[in-house]
Amino acid sequence: MQFTSEQRLDDGVLEREFTLGEIPGTLWTPGSVPAPLVLMAHNNGLPKADPRLVARARYTAARGYAVATIDATGCGDRPRSASDEQARADLRRAMQAGEPVDEIFESLIGPLVDSAVPEWRTTLDALLELPGVRGPVGYSGGWAALGIRLAVAEPRIAAAGFFAGGYVPRAQREEARQVTIPLLFLLQWDDEGNPRRRALDLFDAFGSEEKTLHANLGGHTGTPWFELEDGCRFLDRHLK
């Protein structure tokens, strides 16, 4: 892992850009004392520099966590395969025409998850070797499909917070039954792109004995800011 830039924010959080082979990422750390790690991912394909993700990461780091995000294969500015680009073009066309899009999402999101998980695990290995980072590890992000796969595949993840706003392929909906860690699930009740019934069925499928659903009125990007504070309290219970 090579750090390429750093800046000290007003609240004392150190923000550093890094590369790990071909993987670009950002790490926020709160101080000199090793802090539990939170992996933070945004919806499939969006960049790690997305303002909403950066705001959540900085807030969470100021609450005493090391927070990391990466641009996995096909995300942000990283190259996309021809099949990925074709799926995105098909998706745009179908949405403009008002046609069903679930099968297009399946062909797009499933391969993204398959390629992203190994890179996230490689990044996790490197992060836990740093002096300012320790376990236990949490996951927090809008990319629920990725989080489900990581929660199943990665025993170092002790708790997870998911946003219900992104499409979750059938494979991850089945894998949700294998998720047993404590879980916080955020749902926007009026999310125009995410059928409420499907989100509730996904919550029901999780195998966790401790799982909490927070539902708020509003559309896809209308999650209230106080949910970030509640999310940090959830992390405090399970990572500190």
Side-chain angles (χ1 to χ4, degrees):
M1 178 175 285
Q2 179 179 0
F3 289 102
T4 57
S5 69
E6 68 175 58
Q7 65 170 326
R8 182 73 66 176
L9 305 178
D10 292 341
D11 53 12
V13 169
L14 181 63
E15 180 178 277
R16 289 177 284 177
E17 300 292 325
F18 66 83
T19 57
L20 182 60
E22 296 181 354
I23 307 169
T26 308
L27 174 65
W28 296 264
T29 48
S32 58
V33 177
L37 175 62
V38 176
L39 305 178
M40 193 167 285
H42 210 343
N43 274 346
N44 30 272
L46 291 179
K48 63 183 179 62
D50 182 89
R52 287 177 295 165
L53 184 147
V54 172
R56 289 193 294 115
R58 289 175 172 177
Y59 180 93
T60 304
R63 289 283 297 259
Y65 292 94
V67 182
T69 188
I70 65 171
D71 278 341
T73 301
C75 298
D77 294 329
R78 294 189 66 187
R80 296 169 177 169
S81 67
S83 60
D84 187 1
E85 292 288 11
Q86 183 60 55
R88 291 177 186 276
D90 292 342
L91 179 61
R92 289 191 294 269
R93 179 195 56 76
M95 293 180 70
Q96 291 171 357
E99 299 172 356
V101 295
D102 279 9
E103 291 307 314
I104 302 175
F105 271 124
E106 286 285 335
S107 65
L108 174 62
I109 306 304
L112 278 177
V113 171
D114 291 341
S115 62
V117 166
E119 294 197 340
W120 274 95
R121 298 186 75 183
T122 296
T123 304
L124 176 57
D125 290 340
L127 290 168
L128 289 177
E129 293 180 357
L130 297 175
V133 180
R134 65 170 175 86
V137 179
Y139 177 89
S140 175
W143 195 355
L146 171 67
I148 291 168
R149 174 66 63 81
L150 281 173
V152 171
E154 184 48 71
R156 290 172 290 186
I157 295 179
F162 297 146
F163 291 85
Y167 182 84
V168 177
R170 287 186 287 269
Q172 277 70 65
R173 280 179 258 164
E174 287 298 318
E175 287 176 329
R177 305 180 190 283
Q178 303 174 48
V179 175
T180 59
I181 58 176
L183 182 68
L184 176 62
F185 195 61
L186 302 184
L187 170 63
Q188 285 302 103
W189 202 245
D190 308 301
D191 190 337
E192 59 281 0
N194 185 42
R196 186 186 308 163
R197 183 70 263 167
R198 186 161 60 196
L200 293 173
D201 287 344
L202 177 61
F203 177 76
D204 189 53
F206 286 117
S208 305
E209 292 187 3
E210 179 183 338
K211 55 181 179 180
T212 301
L213 171 67
H214 286 185
N216 291 283
L217 297 178
H220 183 74
T221 61
T223 303
W225 184 251
F226 62 74
E227 288 291 2
L228 182 53
E229 182 178 0
D230 288 348
C232 285
R233 285 199 292 265
F234 167 80
L235 294 173
D236 290 346
R237 292 197 298 272
H238 299 291
L239 303 186
K240 289 185 175 181

